[in-house]
Each structure stands twice: as C-alpha cells, then as structure tokens.
C-alpha cells in the first residue's frame, strides 16, 4: 500500500517496484529483525530476492541499491507498526547491552533451564605478515582478539543471542517433557522439531505446553534483574517494554505454531 501511494505521488523508487511487492520480498527481513537484522542487512536481503526473481523491474546496477534501500526503510517502518513488540523488545535489549558495555563489562544471563550464558565480544587487531609459498612472496593479514570490549557487537548481538538461548531452553524443556510421556526418538534442528509420525501428536502437545509454561514467566524482567546485579547501581537501563495483550494459552490451539 505504501509503495503504491508513493508511486502515485511520483516517487522514482516506488515507480520502479510498484506491482512486484509480495510475501517473498519481505519475509526474510520480517523474520530476521528480532535477531538483530539492520537496515543494510534488509537492503541486501531484498536485493537478493529481486535478483532471484530475475530482476522483473529491469533495475540497472546504479539504481538497484537505492531502490532496495527505499524498500528496506519501508519494510522496517511496517514491521514497527505491525509487529510492535518485536521491535520494542529488540530496542530495549540493545539499550541494556549498551549500558552494560559502557562499563567495559561482559553481559551474562541464565536461561530458563539454568544454563549460564556470557556474551563478551572483544575488538580484533590486525597484523600484516609476509610469507613465501613456492618462492613467491605472499601478503596475509592475521586478526587477533584484543582486550577492549567491542561495544558495537555487544549491542548488535544481544537480541539474537538471548533469543537463541531461549529457543535452546525451550527445546530442552520440550524433550524432557516428551521423555516423561514415553518418547525417545527426536530429530531437532534449532527450532524445528521431529519425531516418528505416530508420536507427532504427543510432540505437538509437549512443545506447546513447554512454550506456554516457559514464557508465562517474566523472562525479560529476570534478565534485567540479573544483569543489573552485575553492574554498578548508577547504571541506568531503558524502561521495560510494555507487555501486550497476547493470550499465551491460545498457543495450545495453534496448528502452525512450529514446524
């Protein structure tokens, strides 16, 4: 709708892509934003999709990048309006990571299954060396991790790392629940769950019940309290993101909740 509106107003970028906007174009940016995707990352993703489509707009090399940047910006704004909680939570997490990094400190938390996690990105220093291979002089660069905290990576990494740690905890809780139900065969990859066909209904029940149980707790509040205990009292965190009205119990009836 926004692209069509801009095209009517004569926006040169909108005119080039009006009519080609579909699910495939925006799916990856929407999926990866909560994992820390940046505007430039979305721009790259959109460009890849347009090229895979065979460049239906016949964009030349010079116009491809700014057009994809225009679409990335619109996509980000749309996500901010439609998937409000994801954007708010990610921004809050980045604010917490920034505050902790200001003390040159790593950020640590404990997952819902008791696993301690430590995020500590350090800046790299590069050294140029010269070696000889078959008598030919070659120039190479070696990167070594230094002692200074990489504040940019600390901020960028916190959302995906926290979410992945929660995904792992959910999978562990699900497997434990399944074992209690008598299941002993699993095929798991990150957040995709598999078992024998005859046991799928039990797995279906276990993973949804584990999810509702785990996320009914105030996980972000616990994270904030744990991190706050690691820094000096005068470190200020941004206000907690507001809690929405989603009824987690509805997850129990969702047929497409997980793959």
């Amino acid at each position: 709708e926004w692209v069509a509106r801009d095209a009517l107003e004569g926006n040169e970028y909108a005119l080039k892509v009006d009519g080609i906007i579909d699910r495939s174009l925006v799916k990856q940016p929407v999926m990866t934003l909560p994992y820390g995707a940046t505007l430039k990352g979305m721009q790259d993703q959109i460009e890849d999709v347009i090229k895979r489509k065979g460049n239906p707009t016949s964009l030349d090399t010079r116009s491809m990048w700014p057009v994809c940047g225009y679409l990335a910006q619109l996509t980000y704004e749309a996500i901010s309006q439609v998937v409000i909680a994801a954007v708010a939570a990610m921004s809050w997490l980045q604010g917490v990571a920034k505050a902790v990094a200001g003390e040159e400190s790593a950020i640590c938390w404990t997952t819902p299954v008791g696993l301690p996690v430590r995020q500590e990105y350090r800046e790299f220093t590069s050294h140029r060396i010269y070696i000889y291979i078959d008598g030919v002089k070659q120039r190479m660069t070696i990167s070594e991790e230094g002692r200074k905290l990489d504040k940019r990576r600390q901020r960028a990494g916190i959302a995906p790392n926290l979410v992945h740690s929660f995904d792992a905890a959910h999978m562990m809780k699900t497997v434990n629940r399944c074992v209690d139900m008598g299941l002993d065969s699993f095929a798991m990859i990150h957040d995709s769950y598999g078992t024998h066909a005859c046991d799928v209904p039990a797995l279906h029940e276990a993973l949804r019940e584990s999810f509702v149980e785990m996320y009914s707790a105030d996980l972000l509040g616990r994270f904030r309290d744990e991190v706050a205990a690691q820094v000096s009292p005068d470190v200020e965190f941004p206000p907690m993101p507001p809690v929405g009205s989603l009824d987690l119990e509805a997850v129990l009836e969702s047929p497409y909740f997980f793959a």
Side-chain angles (χ1 to χ4, degrees):
E1 292 174 359
W2 292 353
V3 170
R5 173 203 64 197
D6 290 349
L8 286 174
E9 295 175 356
N11 183 297
E12 60 174 315
Y13 299 146
L15 289 169
K16 292 179 182 295
V17 293
D18 188 23
I20 72 158
I21 311 300
D22 59 12
R23 182 176 183 272
S24 66
L25 198 71
V26 298
K27 179 181 177 181
Q28 194 173 7
V30 171
M31 298 275 294
T32 57
L33 177 69
Y35 291 92
T38 62
L39 271 175
K40 183 182 180 303
M42 293 181 179
Q43 197 169 357
D44 289 332
Q45 293 166 350
I46 290 171
E47 181 179 6
D48 287 343
V49 173
I50 290 177
K51 289 179 177 178
R52 286 201 304 270
K53 288 175 174 288
N55 192 7
T57 58
S58 301
L59 292 170
D60 55 38
T61 304
R62 188 174 61 179
S63 61
M64 176 71 79
W65 187 243
V67 167
C68 292
Y70 160 76
L71 290 177
Q73 182 64 50
L74 282 191
T75 302
Y76 185 87
E77 292 174 7
I79 296 171
S80 300
Q81 290 194 19
V82 177
V83 197
I84 301 170
V87 177
M90 185 183 72
S91 298
W92 179 79
L93 287 169
Q94 291 176 343
V96 171
K98 181 180 180 181
V100 175
E103 292 206 330
E104 291 292 328
S105 175
I107 187 167
C108 306
W109 67 92
T110 306
T111 73
V113 294
L115 178 72
V117 181
R118 180 182 182 90
Q119 176 180 294
E120 186 175 9
Y121 293 111
R122 298 289 172 179
E123 291 185 351
F124 282 85
T125 56
S126 298
H127 306 282
R128 184 168 292 171
I129 63 172
Y130 296 90
I131 63 174
Y132 287 87
I133 301 178
D134 291 334
V136 179
K137 188 177 183 180
Q138 303 284 350
R139 184 176 68 180
M140 302 183 67
T141 301
I142 294 180
S143 295
E144 295 179 328
E145 190 175 62
R147 294 184 177 182
K148 187 176 181 182
L149 195 71
D150 190 330
K151 296 179 181 179
R152 183 193 63 80
R153 292 175 68 200
Q154 285 291 103
R155 184 175 182 273
I158 186 60
N161 287 336
L162 184 72
V163 170
H164 284 311
S165 77
F166 286 174
D167 285 344
H170 176 221
M171 181 175 285
M172 294 169 73
K173 282 180 170 290
T174 298
V175 170
N176 287 339
R177 188 179 290 259
C178 284
V179 169
D180 291 341
M181 298 168 69
L183 276 65
D184 59 6
S185 297
F186 306 98
M188 312 297 218
I189 302 176
H190 182 49
D191 56 1
S192 293
Y193 293 68
T195 187
H196 296 302
C198 59
D199 294 326
V200 165
L203 175 61
H204 174 114
E205 176 183 327
L207 72 89
R208 287 161 175 77
E209 289 180 348
S210 297
F211 185 92
V212 171
E213 177 190 38
M214 192 174 103
Y215 285 99
S216 292
D218 182 11
L219 296 186
L220 287 185
R222 291 180 183 177
F223 170 80
R224 176 203 56 204
D225 294 343
E226 187 173 6
V227 172
Q230 303 162 25
V231 295
S232 60
D234 56 345
V235 173
E236 294 186 4
F237 293 156
M240 289 284 293
V243 176
S245 58
L246 175 66
D247 178 12
L248 274 181
E249 295 288 332
V251 164
L252 300 175
E253 308 302 325
S254 173
Y256 304 111
F257 182 61
F258 265 86

